[in-house]
């Protein structure tokens, strides 16, 4: 089965001062040009000048993707260091203040910022995007809908945003609370066919609400540029191993759904409402929470759900040659996510720091170190 063997990964990073780890309000002159000279089209700017994105090549091998992403993180880190900068991979920057952010210089971003106003400026978040290729593009909408109950689990495993504007939020994944302020975000609508989705997009385009489907920013969506279904829900993962583990989970689940068209074929508005509740619980508790189980009409711990899901997807992960990466989802459940690591560093530093800001500086230093480890 060739579906989903080809995939790509996009990772977003904050650009920060190397010493203070404070986010850069304006992209330093020469840094982005040097990064482009080193990485070519694999590095791109994001909506805010404090962010950059790395885009992998198209891969069929998880090992090859890991090698490329690791090399790209290293090269971007070297370019950043030569300009007195560093990079941080996390869903939010612990101390960045959204009110001081500047949009990148590009016509698309000018239009988006004009439309979104303050919400665009508040969008100082970084995510992980994973593309899974399809042979039959007409099946993307069906698979997108049946993926919805798995989205909260993916969010829980990727949480890396417990801080916002120098405050502990009480959430393991605050990023989506900020990102979902934007229109056309969150879980996708319950379209059953490609025609229904196309009609939705064409309506908004004809009404001059959006220019094209790339302005639909759901947690998972059909890509406009590529023959893929694009996962957008996860926080940017501090650890590269976590990025690959979540990619393996996503790709394996897509393949499973393609092989089993009857699985979750009866999803209802209730199913979407349950997925929405579980999405919140994933943001709030990360891997330490529990999800509502519609079929069993009870709750199941995230730890148990990870084990059940990994076991269910073993055959697909083997076929995609990513079984080791899928198994790392179990490791995340044991050692914790980046959010767990950040909170551990913060709580430890609070006892020694002279000020709360010093404790957050320790968190930022930890993220920077782990990003390039």
């Amino acid at each position: 089965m060739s579906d989903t063997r080809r995939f790509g990964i996009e990772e977003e990073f904050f650009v920060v001062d190397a010493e203070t780890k404070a986010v850069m309000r304006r992209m330093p002159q020469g840094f982005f040009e040097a990064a482009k000279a080193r990485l070519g089209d694999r590095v791109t700017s994001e909506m805010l000048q404090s962010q950059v994105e790395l885009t992998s090549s198209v891969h069929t091998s998880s090992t090859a993707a890991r090698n490329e992403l690791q090399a790209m993180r290293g090269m971007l880190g070297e370019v950043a260091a030569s300009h007195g900068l560093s990079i941080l991979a996390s869903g939010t920057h612990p101390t960045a203040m959204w009110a001081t952010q500047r949009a990148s210089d590009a016509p698309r971003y000018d239009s988006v910022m004009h439309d979104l106003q303050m919400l665009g400026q508040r969008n100082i978040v970084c995510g992980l995007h994973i593309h899974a290729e399809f042979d039959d593009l007409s099946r993307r909408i069906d698979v997108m809908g049946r993926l919805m109950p798995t989205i909260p689990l993916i969010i829980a495993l990727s949480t890396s945003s417990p801080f916002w504007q120098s405050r502990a939020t009480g959430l393991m994944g605050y990023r989506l609370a900020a990102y979902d302020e934007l229109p056309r975000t969150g879980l996708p609508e319950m379209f059953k066919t490609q025609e229904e989705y196309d009609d939705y997009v064409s309506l908004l385009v004809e009404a001059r609400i959006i220019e094209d489907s790339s302005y639909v920013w759901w947690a998972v969506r059909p890509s406009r540029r590529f023959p893929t279904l694009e996962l957008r829900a996860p926080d940017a993962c501090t650890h590269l191993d976590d990025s690959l583990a979540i990619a393996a989970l996503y790709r394996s689940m897509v393949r499973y759904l393609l092989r089993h068209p009857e699985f979750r074929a009866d999803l209802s508005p209730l199913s979407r409402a349950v997925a929405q509740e579980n999405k919140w619980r994933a943001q709030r508790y990360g891997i330490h929470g529990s999800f509502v189980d519609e079929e069993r009409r009870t709750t199941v711990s995230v730890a148990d759900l990870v084990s059940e899901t990994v076991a269910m997807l073993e055959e697909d992960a083997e076929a995609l040659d990513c079984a080791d990466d899928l198994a790392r989802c179990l490791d995340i459940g044991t050692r914790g996510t980046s959010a767990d690591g950040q909170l551990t560093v913060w709580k430890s530093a609070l006892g020694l720091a002279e000020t709360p800001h010093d404790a957050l500086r320790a968190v930022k230093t930890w993220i920077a170190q782990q990003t390039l480890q």
Side-chain angles (χ1 to χ4, degrees):
M1 184 175 183
S2 59
D3 275 321
T4 73
R5 285 206 59 85
R6 286 162 54 92
F7 69 101
I9 295 176
E10 301 165 357
E11 294 190 301
E12 296 174 345
F13 302 87
F14 292 106
V15 180
V16 302
D17 180 89
E19 182 178 352
T20 66
K21 303 301 186 292
V23 72
M24 302 302 295
R25 292 176 56 197
R26 186 184 293 276
M27 188 71 72
Q29 185 175 7
F31 163 69
F32 191 68
E33 288 79 3
K36 291 287 286 185
R38 186 82 181 272
L39 289 152
D41 291 339
R42 292 180 295 174
V43 62
T44 56
S45 61
E46 276 297 302
M47 186 161 68
L48 298 176
Q49 293 196 32
S50 55
Q51 302 160 302
V52 295
E53 181 180 78
L54 291 178
T55 301
S56 79
S57 306
V58 177
H59 289 285
T60 58
S61 163
S62 184
T63 299
R66 177 189 301 278
N67 292 340
E68 183 187 34
L69 289 167
Q70 187 172 42
M72 287 197 298
R73 282 193 181 199
M75 285 187 280
L76 185 62
E78 290 172 2
V79 173
S82 69
H83 287 77
L85 306 171
S86 187
I87 58 171
L88 271 64
S90 61
T92 57
H93 183 281
T95 62
M97 305 299 288
W98 65 263
T100 64
Q101 299 307 302
R102 297 174 181 269
S104 296
D105 296 325
R108 175 185 172 92
Y109 296 137
D110 289 342
S111 173
V112 170
M113 291 297 288
H114 175 74
D115 184 36
L116 298 179
Q117 295 293 307
M118 186 178 76
L119 299 186
Q121 197 174 6
R122 282 174 57 83
N123 190 40
I124 182 168
V125 296
C126 286
L128 167 70
H129 302 167
I130 303 164
H131 289 262
E133 188 178 46
F134 277 63
D135 285 345
D136 184 355
L137 296 183
S138 68
R139 302 187 66 184
R140 290 190 299 180
I141 300 303
D142 169 64
V143 171
M144 179 180 73
R146 292 189 290 131
L147 264 168
M148 262 194 278
T150 304
I151 297 299
L153 180 61
I154 290 172
I155 293 170
L157 289 168
S158 73
T159 50
S160 67
S161 51
F163 298 100
W164 178 253
Q165 298 203 111
S166 299
R167 294 186 59 181
T169 64
L171 280 66
M172 302 300 282
Y174 183 81
R175 165 181 159 266
L176 289 177
Y179 189 74
D180 286 353
E181 293 179 336
L182 306 186
R184 301 175 297 280
T185 56
L187 296 178
E189 302 298 332
M190 287 196 65
F191 298 123
K192 294 292 187 181
T193 66
Q194 183 70 43
E195 289 73 23
E196 290 178 349
Y197 171 75
D198 290 342
D199 190 39
Y200 164 74
V201 172
S202 65
L203 171 61
L204 295 189
V205 171
E206 290 170 20
R208 298 185 178 181
I209 303 301
I210 60 176
E211 293 184 20
D212 53 56
S213 63
S214 68
Y215 291 82
V216 176
W217 298 310
W218 293 332
V220 59
R221 69 177 183 182
S223 173
R224 185 180 76 90
R225 295 177 58 201
F226 307 114
T228 63
L229 190 64
E230 179 189 8
L231 176 70
R232 300 171 54 83
D235 282 1
C237 290
T238 305
H239 302 102
L240 181 58
D241 278 350
D242 292 1
S243 295
L244 271 296
I246 290 166
L249 173 61
Y250 173 61
R251 296 173 59 220
S252 299
M253 178 58 74
V254 168
R255 188 178 189 276
Y256 184 91
L257 293 172
L258 286 166
R259 292 196 305 117
H260 298 278
E262 76 288 349
F263 185 71
R264 298 175 179 169
D266 58 347
L267 285 185
S268 66
L270 173 62
S271 305
R272 188 181 187 278
V274 169
Q276 188 67 43
E277 179 66 28
N278 289 338
K279 174 178 173 289
W280 153 248
R281 297 183 64 79
Q283 293 170 227
R284 170 63 179 87
Y285 301 105
I287 61 171
H288 306 288
S290 60
F291 290 162
V292 178
D293 188 297
E294 180 184 356
E295 183 176 349
R296 288 177 275 198
R297 303 194 72 81
T298 184
T299 58
V300 57
S301 70
V302 171
D304 286 345
L305 186 58
V306 171
S307 297
E308 293 173 8
T309 304
V310 167
M312 182 181 77
L313 298 179
E314 282 182 352
E315 179 181 343
D316 297 279
E318 289 287 350
L320 296 173
D321 195 25
C322 62
D324 289 343
D325 286 312
L326 178 65
R328 287 190 178 91
C329 291
L330 301 172
D331 296 338
I332 297 174
T334 300
R335 62 170 164 79
T337 65
S338 171
D340 291 297
Q342 292 179 42
L343 289 169
T344 296
V345 171
W346 177 66
K347 291 173 183 177
S348 177
L350 276 177
L352 303 173
E354 294 184 6
T355 68
H357 186 76
D358 290 334
L360 287 172
R361 179 175 292 186
V363 175
K364 293 184 286 186
T365 298
W366 180 85
I367 297 172
Q369 292 171 342
Q370 297 297 310
T371 297
L372 296 176
Q373 190 174 48

